Amino acid sequence: MVNETRLILVLGDQLSPGLSALQAGDPARDVVVMAEVSAEATYVPHHPKKIAFLFAAMRKFAERLRSDGWQVDYTELDDSENAQSIPGELLRRAAQHGAKQIIATEPGEWRLISALQEMPLPVQIQPDTRFLASHARFEDWAEGRKQLRMEYFYREMRRETGLLMAGDKPEGGKWNYDHDNRKPAPGEIGRAGPMQFTPDALVEDVLALVEARFEEHFGTLRPFWYATDAAQAEAALEDFLTNALPLFGDYQDAMTSEHRFLYHAVIGQYLNAGLLDPLDVCQRAEAAYRAGHAPLNAVEGFIRQIIGWREFMRGIYFLGGPDYASRNGLGHSRDLPAFYWTGQTKMRCMAHAIDQTRDEAYAHHIQRLMVTGNFALLAGIAPQQVAAWYLAVYADAYEWVEAPNVIGMSQFADGGMVGSKPYVSSGNYIAKMSDYCKGCSYDVKAKTGETACPFNVLYWQFLIRHREAFEKNPRMAQMYRTWDRMQEGRQTQVLQDAETFLARMEGGEAV
Ligand code: FAD
Ligand code: DLZ
Ligand code: SF4
């Protein structure tokens, strides 16, 4: 029948008024379905701050849709009728309304895409238009290329959006100012951190619910300070543009024990849930540059993260297909050590990154890549266990962006789709970019022995374990030459120390 009610599905990370499913629907005819369900909250044990953020933002978005004239059937987690899964809730609501059709925007995970495709009702899946590059656009770009490199894709996105362009040339003459963005942490940080919001009554209700239901999940719920609607997310963005963007570039890779956020935007959770629009964010950053408020290296670096890395990662996930997240190119199989969930390790850099993650559901890129990710890769942890940890603990984590970052960029498990070489380093890099090593139980300068920094011995052991895979890589050949010049006795000692460390770690000793 022509005017039969249809259901419009809006997922927790689809809180955008321009969502394609809403565009395809009709407020006079259709019913929006939104549901807090335990299947989504527990398929990995999401951080309580992440669950609270999403539930609060979902409730506020439902109110907004109602005031825009939509009928919204919203199911709270503890509703007695709640089917506790997305397909279950859709079927329940379809029966209530006699609806025979569902309209959805493509979810950001293959798992949920298949669940929708397998529903007994027809589901019209609309493309997610909240990204610059459609799947077809990315496939076209990737077609026939031997290697997929973010830099070349990024340049096309710059041309297409016109961001930081001077005619058909890049602003300032260079596409990429990353070279200027590698300063270690400054002594003083003149920024209080990201903008924080006091929970209102609606948020307090959600916090009580999350406290009662997800107490056993890793992560501290309070103090809860996230933005939970578009207006607050906008205010947080504005605060970043004013107070942090000018120094974003310089200290992008720095880490300090004192400051968790440095000059980072801390907007990943807002962008990925749909509270901020990526192109708008970039245009506002560009305006800050044009107004003379922020330098080119900062603004180019920031824009590259969003129209370059973020879009590229999404392209890789969907190009990789449903099995992308299960790849294990280096055949790693060790279990994730318990200290990823407790922070109880003598490695100060790891303890700091994990403790901060527990408190904030946040760590910045270099902490994720060069501390927790680097350690997991060096120690040969099973990439799917590493990925499950990242997916659970970060407020901005959804598989479309988490898997290419973890399986691809960090664990080099996707066969080189994302990167041309693994991101591994000894303790040296961490010592250079942070103050973690001061006061660590290990000695970053010691290359062998009981107190040697574990990253130092594991680094060589990793290279030797995977010599066949990497020694012909021109970007890694120098390291193999260094190893080959090392005295044999020292080589044996390094490898022995690495084995001893791993055995102690696997035996559950405090390492
Ligand atoms: P900023 O440093 O201020 O950067 C601004 C924005 O750029 C971010 O909000 C984000 O939207 C985008 N961005 C930057 N780097 C990336 C990247 N590599 N991929 C995609 N977007 C990027 N990002 C996620 O959004 N979700 C994840 O689950 C996620 N998992 C990661 C796992 C690992 C192992 C690594 C190395 C990186 C991961 N990232 C992930 C990328 C990056 O760490 C976060 O986007 C960033 O730390 C978010 O904090 P911010 O908003 O302060 O970022
Ligand atoms: C992450 C998440 C959580 C914790 N809870 C819900 C929920 O209860 N309801 C919902 O619609 N979405 C939730 N999400 C987001 C989904 O997991 C997300 O849409 C998929 O992983 C696809 O990106
Ligand atoms: Fe980390 Fe090694 Fe430095 Fe300790 S010495 S903080 S383990 S890099």
Side-chain angles (χ1 to χ4, degrees), residues 11-13 35-37 40-41 43 46 54-55 86 108-109 111:
L11 292 166
D13 54 352
E36 300 166 6
V37 292
E40 292 307 310
Y43 74 97
H46 293 289
L54 274 189
F55 287 5
I86 296 296
E109 292 196 19
R111 170 187 65 86

Side-chain angles (χ1 to χ4, degrees), residues 240 248 252 263-269 271-272 302 305-306 309-311 313 362-366 368-369 373 390-391 394 396-398 400-403 405-406 409-410:
F240 161 75
F248 172 85
Q252 202 181 331
Y263 294 97
H264 289 273
V266 198
I267 56 165
Q269 68 277 34
L271 278 167
N272 296 349
F302 180 71
Q305 305 312 311
I306 296 179
W309 280 114
R310 186 171 183 271
E311 293 283 333
M313 290 311 205
Y362 177 84
H364 73 65
H365 186 72
I366 295 300
R368 297 187 207 195
L369 187 64
Y390 278 94
L391 192 55
Y394 291 113
D396 54 28
Y398 303 91
W400 66 266
V401 56
E402 172 273 332
N405 270 296
V406 176
M409 182 189 281
S410 166

Side-chain angles (χ1 to χ4, degrees), residues 476-494:
M476 296 180 76
Q478 174 60 38
M479 294 319 297
Y480 285 100
R481 284 197 288 275
T482 306
W483 171 262
D484 290 340
R485 281 199 301 270
M486 214 183 275
Q487 280 183 348
E488 209 181 305
R490 194 167 166 87
Q491 288 179 339
T492 311
Q493 189 62 51
V494 168

Side-chain angles (χ1 to χ4, degrees), residues 365-388:
H365 186 72
I366 295 300
Q367 294 173 304
R368 297 187 207 195
L369 187 64
M370 299 312 289
V371 180
T372 44
N374 187 15
F375 183 83
L377 179 57
L378 293 177
I381 312 297
Q384 281 63 44
Q385 293 192 29
V386 183

Side-chain angles (χ1 to χ4, degrees), residues 53-67:
F53 161 64
L54 274 189
F55 287 5
M58 285 169 70
R59 290 183 187 192
K60 290 188 179 183
F61 189 69
E63 280 178 9
R64 176 174 175 172
L65 289 179
R66 286 191 187 111
S67 67

